[in-house]
Amino acid sequence: MTDTSTDATAGGGTRTRDLRLAVVGLGMRAGLAREAHRPGEGAAVVAAVDTDPGAHDRAREWFGDDVRLHGGHHELLAAEELDAVFVITPDDTHEAIAVDLLEAGVAVFVEKPLAITTEGCDRVLEAAKRGGARLYVGHNMRHMPVVRVMRDLVLRGEIGEVKAVWCRHFVGHGGDFYFKDWHADRSRTTSLLLQKGAHDLDVIHWLAGGYTERVAALGGLTLYGDIEDRSGQAPGSVMPDWLDPERNWPPLSNTGLNPVVDVEDLSMVVMRLDNGVHASYQQCHYTPDYWRNYMVIGTEGRLENFGDDGESAEVRVWKRRSDYRADADLVVPMPPVSGGHGGADPLLVAEFLEFVRTGADTDTSPVAAREAVAAGCAATESLRGDGRPVTVRRTSPELARWFADGQR
């Protein structure tokens, strides 16, 4: 890992030099690395990796003709002197790539989920400690204004002490987003309850102030399993290449599903957290609408979000006893935002870069990311075990302390 502080200037002073960044994976979420690429302003992507040579033209378009291109992360490590690497590859590859980079002492941004098994997450955490390298996980929802407003309302006691958190996730484009590529294959994702749900499970934990200790779940492959066209998509294509909301509705009209489809499209989970809060999570991949709805219930009221993840969202709080009423006692609209995922992506990238440079505190947490995966894995085990309750295995106290101390 290289020095990330300052360089001398001709006038005898110092200036903050650009962090030297690389990105592994040039698919959908590589826009995060594009967000970080600000040559002369603190960070520059100097190298890129993708196993598909056809993606290299995309890297030149995004990062300039001088970007150095590699076919794998081992080649990248051998050839480059780097401060940090964005790992934005399919979920089943996160663990191995992150471990190699962290053990080499390079700071790593891993797109969520951290890994597809609890054990894989632990190996990544241990590699960060062993290599003394900074690890950051891309749970961008912690930077979404709507989530932050809900958390701020909870922290300032607007609804009293939190007792329950409910989340319903209506995944209206599920057929296009998750059943036409590797996401549909449980060997590469574990489940969509983990892959897609990792965001929501992390937010539930954040709002509740605890981690899941016991789960029970039911669900199944209730719709997309009936579609016989498993011809897949063209090699190298990504979701925008085939997304057509008008043509692919209703959901059973979808064609070109992944050759392997063995993940559930409907999941329902109940959870008990380690602080006594109870929670539930429901996920459906064939609703006509696409949004997520959280409800937090406390000893003195409840709050709920409405609208999308951006400027149209609002959070409503009810604090007086009554029969049904749509008018809440407090309504909090969202501020203007810019950038992907309701303005969260630029904030996520900025936090990561500051963390790499200074070790500053972050709102994301590798341990929390691991606990979201652990909850998702335990819930998947329960679901596939006909609802048998499963105890979640927790992060080792030693590792948890090391990360709580700022990875120092």
Side-chain angles (χ1 to χ4, degrees), residues 245-287:
E246 296 300 324
R247 182 171 61 86
N248 295 332
W249 184 262
L252 284 171
S253 67
N254 272 278
T255 57
L257 268 60
N258 194 59
V260 176
V261 177
D262 60 2
V263 294
E264 296 78 11
D265 52 25
L266 180 69
S267 305
M268 297 172 283
V269 186
V270 291
M271 299 166 274
R272 185 181 69 225
L273 278 56
D274 56 8
N275 60 356
V277 173
H278 289 75
S280 67
Y281 176 56
Q282 297 87 41
Q283 180 190 97
C284 182
H285 283 264
Y286 46 85
T287 57

Side-chain angles (χ1 to χ4, degrees), residues 116-258:
I116 65 169
T117 65
T118 306
E119 296 77 14
C121 289
D122 288 339
R123 281 191 283 272
V124 177
L125 297 183
E126 289 160 359
K129 185 173 184 291
R130 193 163 53 246
R134 290 173 179 156
L135 170 63
Y136 188 96
V137 187
H139 275 281
N140 59 353
M141 284 190 66
R142 290 197 176 207
H143 288 283
M144 284 183 179
V146 66
V147 172
R148 297 180 78 87
V149 164
M150 288 189 288
R151 178 167 162 80
D152 289 345
L153 290 167
V154 167
L155 291 178
R156 75 187 198 202
E158 287 288 347
I159 60 170
E161 181 184 353
V162 174
K163 292 295 185 180
V165 183
W166 304 342
C167 177
R168 301 177 299 166
H169 197 169
F170 310 103
V171 191
H173 301 317
D176 283 303
F177 282 13
Y178 298 105
F179 286 86
K180 296 183 179 179
D181 64 5
W182 56 269
H183 292 87
D185 183 345
R186 67 173 63 177
S187 71
R188 305 194 66 186
T189 60
T190 294
S191 68
L192 293 176
L193 182 53
L194 166 61
Q195 201 287 332
K196 183 64 172 169
H199 273 315
D200 295 306
L201 294 169
D202 180 60
V203 171
I204 288 171
H205 290 165
W206 207 37
L207 294 174
Y211 294 130
T212 301
E213 66 176 12
R214 188 80 165 157
V215 299
L218 292 170
L221 181 57
T222 60
L223 185 145
Y224 293 108
D226 294 334
I227 297 176
E228 296 182 357
D229 184 344
R230 305 287 177 85
S231 56
Q233 303 299 314
S237 62
V238 291
M239 184 266 294
D241 297 332
W242 65 72
L243 175 63
D244 186 343
E246 296 300 324
R247 182 171 61 86
N248 295 332
W249 184 262
L252 284 171
S253 67
N254 272 278
T255 57
L257 268 60
N258 194 59

